Amino acid sequence: MSANLTATSAEYVEITQKKSKKTLSVEILSFDGSEITFVTRHGKKYTIDSNLLTEDSLKALKSKAKVKSTAQQELYSKVNGCLGQPLFTGDKGLWEQPAGVVAKRLGWPRESQTDQSSSYRYYPPRDYQFLGTHPYSATLYGGQGGATSHLSLVFANKGDFGSTSGMGPNHFKKLHPEKVLPNTLEETIEMDAELISESLSSALGESVKQYYGEKEDRRKVKRWNLESHAFLLSEVEGEYTSLLVVSKKMRTWKAKSHL
C-alpha cells in the first residue's frame, strides 16, 4: 500500500491517493501489504490496491499496522490469562479463524460437521476451569465455510447440580479453597456469575447491562466487548449461569436496549 497516514483519532487515519493526491479520513479494517480495506467517515467500505496510495502513506500504514498488531497480541494474551484457556492466539480475532483450529487449540472434540455448520463439544473434568470457575459443558460452533461462529459455555445449572457429573459445588474446593462453599443451586449460580464477572472485568473493564435474545428466550445479560467479540453473561435465578462469546455484529443482541 502507499498512502500518507496520519492519525486523526483512535479510529481514523488519513490516506492519500498517489494519482489524484486526494486525502481521505478512514478507519482501517485490514492491511495485508498488497491490499487495504477501509471504511470512510460516511460509512462506505472499499478495498483497494496498495499501489494506488503514496509511498509515504504506505510506510506510515505499515508502521501503524505493526503497532496495532502488537497491541492486539498483548490484549488477547491478557484475556487468555483471565480465561485460563488459550482461546485467542496472535492478533487474529476468533471470526477470522476456522472453528476446527480454535477447537483444537482448546482441546474441545468435534461433535458434528456438515457443509453448512460444525460443532465441538467438551464436558470438562472437575479441575478444568474457564474464567475462574468450572463449566459443565463448552461448545464451539462453526458456520458456513468452517469459520468460527460463536461459543457457548454452561456453568452451574439445574440439570447438573448434585449429579455425579456435576458434582454440585464441589469443584470450588479445588479452584477456590479460600472461599466459603455454596450449599444450594442458587448460591452456586450466583458464585459462578460473580467469579466470571470479576475475571472479565479485570481484563476488559466494567460490563454493560442489557437484554439479549428473542421472545421467550429474551433475558438480561452483562456484556463485555473485546475488539469484534462480545462476552454475554446470563445469570437466571434457579436455572443456570451461562456465557456466550459472539460477534458484535450478531443481530440478536446488537439492537437490544440497555437496562
Side-chain angles (χ1 to χ4, degrees), residues 40-135:
T40 69
R41 287 188 176 273
H42 299 294
K44 293 185 178 181
K45 180 179 178 180
Y46 299 94
T47 298
I48 64 174
D49 291 338
S50 63
N51 60 15
L52 297 178
L53 305 176
T54 66
E55 190 63 31
D56 286 344
S57 294
L58 177 59
K59 291 178 181 178
L61 187 58
K62 286 181 177 179
S63 176
K64 182 176 178 64
K66 184 177 181 179
V67 170
K68 182 178 181 180
S69 175
T70 299
Q72 284 183 317
Q73 289 184 49
E74 292 175 350
L75 178 58
Y76 286 148
S77 179
K78 179 181 179 181
V79 173
N80 278 347
C82 292
L83 297 175
Q85 300 295 331
L87 180 60
F88 298 98
T89 185
D91 63 350
K92 292 186 179 299
L94 295 177
W95 326 129
E96 302 174 65
Q97 303 175 56
V101 171
V102 179
K104 183 178 181 180
R105 187 164 67 242
L106 290 168
W108 298 1
R110 186 173 67 188
E111 178 184 51
S112 66
Q113 184 167 9
T114 68
D115 292 339
Q116 302 297 320
S117 65
S118 60
S119 64
Y120 301 80
R121 191 179 301 271
Y122 185 45
Y123 296 100
R126 189 166 34 161
D127 60 352
Y128 181 93
Q129 65 171 307
F130 197 101
L131 285 167
T133 189
H134 173 70

Side-chain angles (χ1 to χ4, degrees), residues 2-6 13-16 23 53-58 60:
S2 312
N4 271 328
L5 188 74
T6 306
V13 297
E14 289 185 351
I15 58 174
T16 302
T23 297
L53 305 176
T54 66
E55 190 63 31
D56 286 344
S57 294
L58 177 59

Side-chain angles (χ1 to χ4, degrees), residues 1 28-37 47-50 58 61-62 65 92:
M1 300 197 113
I28 305 299
L29 299 181
S30 66
F31 171 49
D32 63 7
S34 61
E35 288 186 334
I36 176 175
T37 299
T47 298
I48 64 174
D49 291 338
S50 63
L58 177 59
L61 187 58
K62 286 181 177 179
K92 292 186 179 299

